[in-house]
Each structure stands twice: as C-alpha cells, then as structure tokens.
Amino acid sequence: RLPDRTLFRLHWTEDHVIGICVFALIYIIEVLVLSATLRDEQNKDAQAVAASSKPSMAGMTAAFVDTPVVVDQQQQQQDTIVDASIITTEKNRNTAPTTTTATDTKKNRSRYLTHVWYAVALSSDVAMDKPLPIDLCDEKLVLFRGTDGDINCTSSICPHRGAPLSMGWTKEVTTTTSSSCSGSGGSSSSSSSSSKASCIVCPYHGWAFDGKGHLLEVPAEGSDATLPKRPLLTSYPVLERGGFVWVFYDPARTRDASLSATEIASMPATPIPMIAELLAAHSPGGRATPDSRQRWTAVHGSFEMKAPHMAVFENAIDVSHIHFLHGGTFGNEDVPSIRDMKLRTVGDTSVEARFELTNKSQPYFEVIQKLYKQMKNQKDVDGKQDGGEEISITAIAMLPCTSVIAFELRGGLRMITFVSTVPLTATTSVNRYALIRNFAHAPQLDDYVRRSMESILTEDKAVVEQLRADLMDQEVSVRSDLPQVAFRKLRNAHIARGYSTDANLHPNMRRYEQSEAAKLGGWLNALDGMEGEAI
C-alpha cells in the first residue's frame, strides 16, 4: 500500500506542478505583451508632446495662442513689415492647421487692461448741465462738464451713503482759503482768497465734489465746516479727442499724480488710440491743415453687445469672417481668400496688417466713384474683377481695444471704420465708432452711413453673442488670423508689465491689487477702511 500511495502522491504533485508552470508561462507572456503595448503608447505620447512643444514649420499653417509668433531677432525689430510667411512657408501653406491649449489665453482675455485710455462716451453725449452715468470695467462712473467746458470723471458712488451722483446736478462752489503771515515787530496779518470750482452735487444730501474728488460742500454742516483736504472720490484723467471722451483707467493709481491728462497722453507708453484722419474730420473744414486738399467727414455712434469685450474686439479685426457673416452686404463668398498679408508692430501699443481681398460691388459706391472721377477728370481705373472689386485694406489694432479698418477703393476713395470696444461689465461691451470718409460730405448721407454700420454690427452681434471660448480646451488659428494673434501677444506683454486687473475682483479693491499696500498685507487695512470713516 505504501508504494501505491507514494506513486499516487508523486503523480498528483507532478500534474499540479505542470499546471502551475503552464499558468505561470501564460501570465509572463501576457505581462510582456502588456508592457510592450504600454511602452509603445508612451513613445507615441512623448512624440506628440515633443511635437506640440516644439512645432515644426514643415507641418503647420499656424499654432498660435499664448506666444503665437516666434521669429528671430531681425524679424522682431519694431516698425519693420514682416511677411506672413513667418507663420508658414510657401511650401506648406495648404497643410492642415495645428492646435494648442488655450488656458492662459482665456485667463488673460478676462482681465481688464489698466494704464490705458478707454472711449467711455461720445463728446456729444456730455451736456453742460447734466451728469452722464457711464459703466467701465464693472465700475459706476460719472462724467460732468465744468463751466470751462472741460469734462471731469469720478466715481458715481457718493462716499456718504452710496447714492448715485449721476442722478444729481452740477453747480459752481466758491471756496475760501485763508493765510497768515508775520510782519516786523511781531505783528501778524491774515488774508484770504476765493476761487470757484465746478462740482457735481449728490441728489441725496447735497454734498458737492469737484473734478478731483474733493468734498467742497456739506449743506447740513454749514459753510464753516472743516472738510478733509484729501479726495474722497476716485477721479480719472479725461481728454476729448476725435469726437470721443477718453478716460485714463488707472484704479491702482500707478501714474505720476503730477502729470496732466494731456501730458499722460503725450507719453509713448500711454497714447490715446487715434488716427490723423479722424483728427482732421474734427478740424475746421474737415482738413488737417487749412491748405490741405484732403477733406474728411466722420459719423459717430454706439452699439452694445452682450458679450465679453475681447470677443467683441477680436471680431472687429477678424478679416476673414466678412465674406460669410456679411455676405449679404459687402462680403464675397465667391472669392473669400485673404491675400498678400503683411504685418508690423508699432512700438508697444499697436499692430498693423495690410492685405488684399475681393469685395462685392456696391451700387452706392459705384455711383459715388463715377461722380468723384468726373469731378477730378479721372479715367476709369482697372482693378475690378468679375464678381467683385479688388481692394487694399489696412487693419490696425491699438491697446487697449481700438480697431481701424481702412478701405482703399478705386478713384482715390477711402472709407475708414474706427471702432473702440469698451468693457462695461465682464459680459457686456459697447462699440463706440466713427465712420470716416473722404467723399460725399453732404450731411444728408450721414444717416445712410450710420444705418449701414448699424446693419453690419447687427450681423456681428448675432454670432458674437453666441461665441463660447470659455468651453474650448484648445483653439485653432491659421495665417489669416495673424492680426488677432499678434495683438494677443501685444496685450499679454502689457499684462506682464503689471497693467491689468482681475475682472472678478470687486471694483472697490482694484486700487489695492497692484499697490505696495497690497503687497505688504494692506488688504486688511483696506477692509478696515471700508467699515466707515468720520470726517
């Protein structure tokens, strides 16, 4: 029995050992196969990452988002026209576009630029005796004209109980300043001087503030009340230029307080966005100089959209959408190509693109051109193609968000759209525009021109209000998007210099966001100051 049992045990053990070895072999094979598969996938991922981090010009038309255009030092020289082939070579222009992530771009788009000029109103909207409420970057501001005709801009929230100053009125307040001096023999004498200041009056308790935000009158305290010498309202530098009211938005007060608005605007780093043609239109006779042969006429207007300001602004410098979104007016779907685009940067504040396209023939302009040529004794000018007219366009984008599109028509005719996009809130914007022309100066045509612009903006509004860049993980751009991409780079550089503020930050706290007090823990002091102050 013992040998039988031993043989049985040996036979049972041998079968199990063989089975275990077979299962182990199968397991090892599966592990090796799985490891090989994972290694292959990792190699593919690494190659994809390397390709996206170091894009090759041989396989792309554009890979622009945060740092879109990378060229050598010679190509980066300012005021030098750069061919759009810096994006693609002639050999590879028709290859498929590539994509990159857009996280940082989304973040920067939502920020408001500071240390810049915004067109907060049309000059014609600001009356002599009526304050004008305005919205700018989620802040409630008010404009009012002084007796000298100059416009002032302050916060519209009265520091007493928060009433809107824009519901009040303007008046002159006389202030008296006393001074004393010592004479010979120990005697002293005193003198006083008076001055008048244009003020805005709160409708709630009658407090009066001058254009610098100083409190000059509190009726309930009498004429001999001791009032604080420092300003209680935030004020902003203001200039009128080109038919617009421009406000220098600097909530952190990083500017030199001793500089006037004119001095700020004359500095290369902080110019008011402007073109010579618009200034000429507001000069006597519509001419830049009395002896100038070129005459310009401008028509102004405003158009609001329920969309973030960067979406609205980038639409204005989007050159390829006009053939489709505006196909019923001046776009041309039959010849939609954007040709011979060249780009240059102008300092740190603007970019300029030049290109050609085929526009749809417009009967109105045909008549105007014929009349213009007859007056100038000009012959017909070649350039009209079947189905449209070949025209040259110059597109300029200026910080913070002003666009200029200049159309060179036949016969020397020029039409320029000057559009300044202003952020009212994080989700609403306004385009304040001027349409400038060097022909057909009769005032009767102004309404027609304005209606044409409103029709185009209405077409833009229908799509721009539906854009959802916030839902995109990546964004694709091509070479015809060069004006937008180059402007983003310019805007990001301005933000990198510290001149921006978070759109989600409470307006009352923006003055502290970039100040030294905030860096040193001044947030607590700021919060304590909001509790109230006795004067």
Side-chain angles (χ1 to χ4, degrees), residues 14 33 36 38 56 112 134-135 157 227 270 272 275 296 299 336 348 357 383 403 465 467 521:
E14 185 178 40
V33 172
L38 291 175
S56 172
Y112 300 136
I134 61 171
D135 292 305
I157 308 302
L227 303 178
T270 53
I272 289 180
I275 57 175
W296 295 92
V299 177
D348 296 326
L357 55 77
S403 65
E465 290 187 344
L467 298 180

Side-chain angles (χ1 to χ4, degrees), residues 212-418:
K212 299 298 183 182
H214 296 99
L215 177 62
L216 299 187
E217 189 175 79
V218 179
E221 301 299 317
S223 59
D224 58 346
T226 301
L227 303 178
K229 297 183 180 299
R230 66 179 180 84
L232 298 185
L233 290 177
T234 301
S235 63
Y236 296 97
V238 185
L239 281 178
E240 289 185 86
R241 193 165 294 179
F244 299 96
V245 180
W246 300 90
V247 163
F248 188 71
Y249 187 60
D250 182 32
R253 295 182 178 272
T254 56
R255 68 182 184 274
D256 185 345
S258 65
L259 296 178
S260 66
T262 302
E263 290 172 328
I264 294 173
S266 64
M267 299 175 67
T270 53
I272 289 180
M274 190 51 57
I275 57 175
E277 293 84 353
L278 183 54
L279 291 177
H282 286 270
S283 300
R287 292 175 169 84
T289 59
D291 58 347
S292 176
R293 299 178 60 185
Q294 190 79 274
R295 180 185 174 189
W296 295 92
T297 297
V299 177
H300 295 74
S302 298
F303 192 91
E304 288 194 19
M305 296 191 192
K306 294 181 180 179
H309 75 286
M310 280 305 296
V312 176
F313 170 74
E314 287 193 344
N315 173 78
I317 58 174
D318 185 317
V319 299
S320 59
H321 84 280
I322 64 176
H323 293 305
F324 301 93
L325 189 56
H326 307 302
T329 50
F330 62 94
N332 193 336
E333 293 185 37
D334 296 330
V335 191
S337 61
I338 307 298
R339 300 179 295 278
D340 300 327
M341 180 176 287
K342 297 181 183 297
L343 178 84
R344 71 169 184 169
T345 60
V346 183
D348 296 326
T349 59
S350 65
V351 295
E352 176 182 310
R354 297 179 182 178
F355 54 93
E356 292 184 353
L357 55 77
T358 303
N359 200 21
K360 182 180 293 184
S361 297
Q362 296 292 321
Y364 168 75
F365 289 118
E366 291 290 324
V367 174
I368 295 297
Q369 286 172 330
K370 290 180 180 179
L371 292 175
Y372 189 89
K373 286 184 290 184
Q374 291 175 3
M375 293 170 57
K376 301 295 182 180
N377 294 320
Q378 295 178 347
K379 297 180 180 180
D380 288 339
V381 180
D382 293 335
K384 184 174 181 180
Q385 297 181 349
D386 292 338
E389 179 184 353
E390 187 88 359
I391 62 174
S392 297
I393 294 180
T394 300
I396 304 174
M398 296 178 278
L399 292 177
C401 39
T402 293
S403 65
V404 176
I405 309 295
F407 299 86
E408 302 282 347
L409 306 175
R410 290 183 294 131
L413 273 62
R414 294 184 66 200
M415 172 73 81
I416 303 173
T417 63
F418 181 98

Side-chain angles (χ1 to χ4, degrees), residues 32-42:
L32 291 175
V33 172
L34 180 61
S35 299
T37 302
L38 291 175
R39 192 182 307 109
D40 183 59
E41 291 179 355
Q42 289 175 347

